Amino acid sequence: MATSTPAPGVGGRQSAPTGPAKEPSGRDRANPRQAWRTLLHRFDIKAAPYAFVAPFFVVFAAFSFYPLLYTAWISLHDVELATMDVMQWEGFGNYTELWRDERFWNALTNTFTIGVISTVPQLLMALGLAHLLNYRLRGSGFFRVAALTPYATSIGAAALVFTMLFERDFGMINWFLGLFGVDDVDWENAKWPAQFAISSIVIWRWTGYNALLYLAAMQAIPRERYEAAAIDGASRWQQFTKVTIPGIRSTVVFTIVLSTIGATQLFGEPLIFGQGPNGVSGGADNQYQTLGLLLYEEGWKNYEMGRAATVAWAMFLLLILVFALQRVVKRLTSRTS
């Protein structure tokens, strides 16, 4: 006789065994920690670079970009130095007045001539000096440090020394010229002598700096190029023109850009060379007044901050124009070559 046993549970279903709850494994406990590490890793890869460069942009926005925009805003108003909070809208009136101002064109011409007189000899001398230092010389380290010493000298000290050298009555330059029968030159009051004297200060200060830039670029040129040129029978001069100059072309362009910016912002040398009130106006007849001196005269002597801001923006736009022309010339020369 068959007997049946009832299935456990209700309705014939077997109930789950009851017992202590199963603890999560170590892998399950590590999942939140792993997720946190993954989040930090993503933040490190994507956000950390922006965090590293953020201080530069903050400083640039505070001390460069904002003053640039504020200067542009001031240039559209009639503002005096004593009452900077009182502005009268002028629009482009300051720019039209500056366009008709003879002093602006005189300062622009002086800036261009002093820039050419100081930049061209400076870069040529720096190129020759770097070419000499590129050879193995005894005491080359001393000569390199000596070449950089004028750059480390302050503008005020250099300008004062050169001002005494170019004195009309007791200056050493006139004394030296007098040995050859040359009459005393009035370096300060004559236009071209004054510009040559100011240019000599710039040349003295920046030649060594540019020479070291050229020297670093020359030492990066592989020696195999010079050996190949020598095997082909190239002379030292041919090696210099065919190997060295093309090898440092980018550095030459860089120094030209720096010299152009420096010539446009020339201020300290002519100011100290004037030795007094004439320094701000660039001489009695504005014979060596640069755009930097005109800006200073408008803002801190005539108290016309609107006009001074207009001169500043004219200098900025002038630099943009020069760099645009440089890019156009570069593209045209690259196409022809």
Side-chain angles (χ1 to χ4, degrees):
M1 180 175 178
T3 60
S4 60
T5 57
V10 181
R13 297 179 182 179
Q14 186 174 2
S15 61
T18 60
K22 184 179 180 181
E23 296 181 359
S25 62
R27 183 176 181 181
D28 295 335
R29 290 196 303 266
N31 284 336
R33 185 180 301 175
Q34 184 66 27
W36 177 250
R37 290 180 179 178
T38 303
L39 181 62
L40 290 179
H41 180 68
R42 291 179 180 177
F43 177 81
D44 183 44
I45 294 178
K46 296 183 178 180
Y50 297 98
F52 288 141
V53 300
F56 165 77
F57 287 102
V58 171
V59 174
F60 175 79
F63 297 99
S64 295
F65 188 68
Y66 171 73
L68 184 67
L69 296 181
Y70 188 63
T71 303
W73 178 251
I74 291 178
S75 67
L76 302 177
H77 295 78
D78 183 10
V79 188
E80 293 187 0
L81 181 62
T83 55
M84 289 291 296
D85 56 337
V86 179
M87 298 185 181
Q88 182 179 355
W89 176 259
E90 291 287 340
F92 291 98
N94 289 330
Y95 290 91
T96 56
E97 292 180 5
L98 187 67
W99 183 267
R100 296 192 297 263
D101 193 350
E102 295 182 357
R103 295 182 305 147
F104 169 73
W105 294 106
N106 176 70
L108 180 61
T109 304
N110 292 337
T111 302
F112 176 77
T113 54
I114 295 176
V116 172
I117 296 172
S118 61
T119 299
V120 176
Q122 171 195 150
L123 296 183
L124 292 177
M125 294 171 60
L127 191 60
L129 182 60
H131 184 61
L132 293 177
L133 293 176
N134 194 29
Y135 290 102
R136 295 182 179 178
L137 300 175
R138 292 183 178 178
S140 59
F142 168 77
F143 290 112
R144 293 174 186 178
V145 173
L148 197 60
T149 301
Y151 171 72
T153 306
S154 65
I155 299 178
L160 286 175
V161 171
F162 274 83
T163 299
M164 292 186 291
L165 291 176
F166 284 101
E167 279 287 347
R168 182 188 60 183
D169 298 325
F170 54 87
M172 185 177 294
I173 303 298
N174 279 340
W175 169 81
F176 178 77
L177 294 177
L179 299 178
F180 300 94
V182 180
D183 295 335
D184 291 343
V185 180
D186 194 354
W187 294 99
E188 181 181 352
N189 296 320
K191 178 178 180 179
W192 291 110
Q195 295 191 10
F196 275 107
I198 295 172
S199 299
S200 65
I201 307 174
V202 180
I203 293 172
W204 182 80
R205 291 193 67 242
W206 291 96
T207 298
Y209 174 81
N210 291 319
L212 292 184
L213 292 180
Y214 290 153
L215 177 62
M218 289 179 183
Q219 292 182 345
I221 300 176
R223 291 294 174 183
E224 291 78 7
R225 297 184 183 180
Y226 293 98
E227 294 175 358
I231 293 174
D232 292 338
S235 61
R236 287 290 182 88
W237 175 253
Q238 290 175 336
Q239 294 179 22
F240 178 73
T241 56
K242 301 299 183 180
V243 179
T244 304
I245 297 300
I248 64 172
R249 183 175 300 172
S250 58
T251 306
V252 172
V253 174
F254 174 72
T255 55
I256 292 175
V257 171
L258 283 184
S259 300
T260 303
I261 296 175
T264 306
Q265 300 176 347
L266 190 63
F267 174 75
E269 290 85 349
L271 177 66
I272 300 176
F273 185 79
Q275 303 184 60
N278 288 335
V280 177
S281 58
D285 297 327
N286 308 115
Q287 64 268 19
Y288 56 88
Q289 186 180 48
T290 61
L291 290 175
L293 288 179
L294 179 62
L295 186 155
Y296 184 84
E297 183 181 21
E298 290 288 357
W300 281 266
K301 184 178 179 181
N302 300 334
Y303 303 107
E304 294 288 343
M305 294 303 297
R307 293 290 300 274
T310 306
V311 176
W313 260 86
M315 296 167 61
F316 177 69
L317 297 176
L318 179 64
L319 286 176
I320 294 179
L321 178 61
V322 170
F323 295 147
L325 292 176
Q326 185 266 337
R327 296 293 297 178
V328 171
V329 173
K330 183 179 180 180
R331 288 185 178 182
L332 292 177
T333 54
S334 61
R335 289 179 181 178
T336 55
S337 59

